[in-house]
Amino acid sequence: MIDLEGDIVPLNGEADLQVRARTGALSIGIARLDPLLGQEGTLSFGLSRDPTGSRLSNLQLDNGAVQAAADIFVSSVGLRAEIDAGLTDLGLIAPQLDGPGDLNATLTRDETGAFVFDTELVAPQAEARVTATATPTGEEHFIIDGTLRTGFDALGPYSALFGQDLSGALAAVATGHFETETGALQAEVEASTQNLSPGPAWLGRVLAGPGQIALSAHRDPGGRLQLDGIEARFPNITANGQVSAGETTTAGLDLRLADIGLIAADFSGPVNARLDAEQIGGDWQIDARATGPAGLTANAEGRVAAGGDLALRISGDGPLGLLNTFIQPRQLTGLVTVAVVALGAAGGALVLDLAGRGPAGGTLAVSGPIGLSRPFNADLAIAVTDVPWSDPALYETTVTGQLALRGPIATGASILGTLNLGPVEMRVPSSAVGALGQLPEVTHQSPPPGVQATLARAGLTEDTVPIRVAAQGGRKTWPLD
């Protein structure tokens, strides 16, 4: 239902109208807001036109979920618009949020053609404000100056909106100056964080405490872009870098982790890394190196194509235990020397060609593709040659064989192949048998018929089932063959 009253003067186009209506099924084409606007409510506003200009005045919308008010004036020499809108509960569009949200925006244009924009958004434990001016420098061009201020007292409730698990607090200020005619740009960004954690637990440990992030960008009228003062400082990690882009683009980054124990609990000491990159044509040429405790060294060089294809060669030395954080509850020990890892990526897969040598001898080679999207299908060939395997108190031997890892890694790939033992040297302890303690449980795989009969008479038979390797915590099983 719509009520309309007022006056219209047809000869000069002047008008003064008042509109009142009941609303339902309103839509503005935004999927998250349309269901809210579609609820029944009331709408009222005034429309007027006189020699000074046209007005939309005292607009009021209220349907219980959405409340909005607006005033807009337009003339031949200027513009002024004020809009206030709010939701009674942001949980109606984002279930993880709880509380009201409000938006206030003002836009003006004066007789010189200059625009001034000011908008503020307030939500539970978060707020943002953008101010900007656009000053004309001709008929078609402007000089734009703007500032963005934002703060999140708690990032966790906004994880779904960012598409990433988040926690901690963040405050940021960005300022910019842009000339539309020349393309010249000057921008500064400063941010502070507190206990920032963008997902994995180890990354939260690295970024714990107060942090500072800064960036300065400059683009000259000739199109050359320079990123200076790229800096991040946290108690546990620091990074500094720069990027220069013109006919060619170069980039450099220095990184220092105060203690690798934040990632690998069995180790301690700092890690230092340096990355240099240069864009040649559409491809990036990469040169990276890192050093750390326990003999850790790593070097990588090669190409990253514009389409995402990789051609990298990696070499280095380091303790295998550094990987334990990422493969828990499994554990690795010992040292490894990686002679070369050739990484290639094409057609949505990462292609490995790895060769390494253990500290006590023997070699391990891995080659084949791994899909870059879930379920990460793999078809890897693994060659083990004369790798020492021992328990100093009981035995010593070497392992040689060929394995294959095939199938989806995310849901449980199959491990196939054969491992053979070389000469086995057994050591029998000189102590009495009773001193060995309780013997471990032993399962006889594929027993011959005679053994099966003996086990049956003893009531010790079990149903035959495939051998599977399963991690704790309900993780997927990996069939063995």
Side-chain angles (χ1 to χ4, degrees):
M1 180 182 69
I2 299 177
D3 291 331
L4 176 64
E5 63 180 45
D7 300 308
I8 298 177
V9 182
L11 294 180
N12 60 16
E14 293 185 11
D16 186 2
L17 302 174
Q18 296 295 320
V19 179
R20 291 178 294 275
R22 302 286 299 178
T23 65
L26 291 180
S27 173
I28 59 174
I30 300 177
R32 290 196 176 210
L33 293 181
D34 283 349
L36 302 179
L37 294 173
Q39 299 183 29
E40 293 186 357
T42 60
L43 172 66
S44 63
F45 57 89
L47 285 174
S48 63
R49 186 176 186 274
D50 60 30
T52 63
S54 300
R55 293 178 177 85
L56 170 67
S57 58
N58 197 28
L59 182 147
Q60 299 287 333
L61 170 65
D62 189 346
N63 68 4
V66 179
Q67 296 176 336
D71 286 280
I72 301 174
F73 172 75
V74 181
S75 72
S76 60
V77 295
L79 163 71
R80 181 173 181 82
E82 297 180 355
I83 299 174
D84 289 290
L87 292 178
T88 57
D89 185 4
L90 286 174
L92 296 172
I93 60 171
Q96 70 276 11
L97 299 180
D98 181 18
D102 295 290
L103 171 68
N104 174 271
T106 302
L107 175 65
T108 62
R109 179 180 181 270
D110 63 21
E111 64 276 4
T112 69
F115 288 89
V116 177
F117 177 73
D118 188 347
T119 185
E120 185 175 18
L121 176 64
V122 179
Q125 297 184 301
E127 61 181 11
R129 185 177 183 182
V130 179
T131 57
T133 60
T135 304
T137 57
E139 293 185 359
E140 300 180 353
H141 296 289
F142 292 85
I143 294 176
I144 301 173
D145 293 280
T147 301
L148 165 66
R149 298 179 183 274
T150 185
F152 293 85
D153 294 334
L155 285 164
Y158 297 89
S159 295
L161 297 181
F162 287 102
Q164 173 68 51
D165 288 336
L166 298 170
S167 64
L170 169 69
V173 177
T175 60
H177 173 91
F178 179 63
E179 300 177 9
T180 62
E181 184 174 8
T182 65
L185 169 71
Q186 182 68 41
E188 308 282 342
V189 178
E190 293 183 354
S192 60
T193 68
Q194 182 66 39
N195 294 326
L196 182 64
S197 180
W202 66 268
L203 191 52
R205 294 192 295 270
V206 170
L207 300 179
Q212 298 290 328
I213 302 171
L215 167 66
S216 175
H218 172 76
R219 184 181 187 272
D220 62 31
R224 183 176 180 82
L225 177 65
Q226 186 79 25
L227 300 181
D228 297 315
I230 303 175
E231 184 175 0
R233 293 192 175 276
F234 296 82
N236 299 317
I237 191 170
T238 58
N240 297 277
Q242 66 285 323
V243 177
S244 177
E247 294 182 1
T248 62
T249 301
T250 60
L253 177 67
D254 287 294
L255 184 72
R256 176 180 171 82
L257 178 64
D259 186 4
I260 200 172
L262 297 166
I263 300 175
D266 295 333
F267 302 90
S268 63
V271 175
N272 295 281
R274 170 72 185 180
L275 169 67
D276 292 290
E278 181 179 6
Q279 189 176 33
I280 302 175
D283 300 345
W284 283 92
Q285 192 69 28
I286 304 295
D287 183 6
R289 11 192 215 284
T291 59
L296 172 64
T297 62
N299 299 280
E301 59 179 349
R303 177 183 58 84
V304 179
D309 291 353
L310 302 177
L312 298 178
R313 294 176 65 85
I314 302 174
S315 61
D317 302 89
L320 290 170
L322 293 176
L323 301 175
N324 289 340
T325 295
F326 307 100
I327 62 172
Q328 290 179 347
R330 305 170 190 85
Q331 297 287 303
L332 295 174
T333 59
L335 300 173
V336 65
T337 297
V338 178
V340 59
V341 179
L343 296 180
L350 181 69
V351 182
L352 298 179
D353 186 6
L354 177 151
R357 179 176 296 277
T363 61
L364 175 69
V366 180
S367 61
I370 301 177
L372 293 177
S373 59
R374 291 185 67 88
F376 308 111
N377 284 308
D379 187 5
L380 300 179
I382 305 169
V384 182
T385 306
D386 294 331
V387 173
W389 186 31
S390 66
D391 181 331
L394 296 176
Y395 60 84
E396 182 177 331
T397 187
T398 59
V399 179
T400 298
Q402 299 288 330
L403 299 174
L405 189 151
R406 296 173 184 163
I409 294 177
T411 57
S414 297
I415 301 176
L416 310 91
T418 302
L419 294 175
N420 298 309
L421 301 181
V424 179
E425 179 179 340
M426 301 296 297
R427 298 182 180 88
V428 179
S430 58
S431 61
V433 173
L436 295 177
Q438 183 177 0
L439 292 176
E441 181 179 349
V442 177
T443 301
H444 193 163
Q445 298 291 341
S446 303
V451 174
Q452 293 186 42
T454 301
L455 292 173
R457 286 192 291 270
L460 299 176
T461 58
E462 295 184 356
D463 294 334
T464 301
V465 296
I467 309 170
R468 293 179 177 268
V469 177
Q472 297 176 356
R475 298 194 182 189
K476 302 299 182 180
T477 58
W478 290 48
L480 298 177
D481 186 359

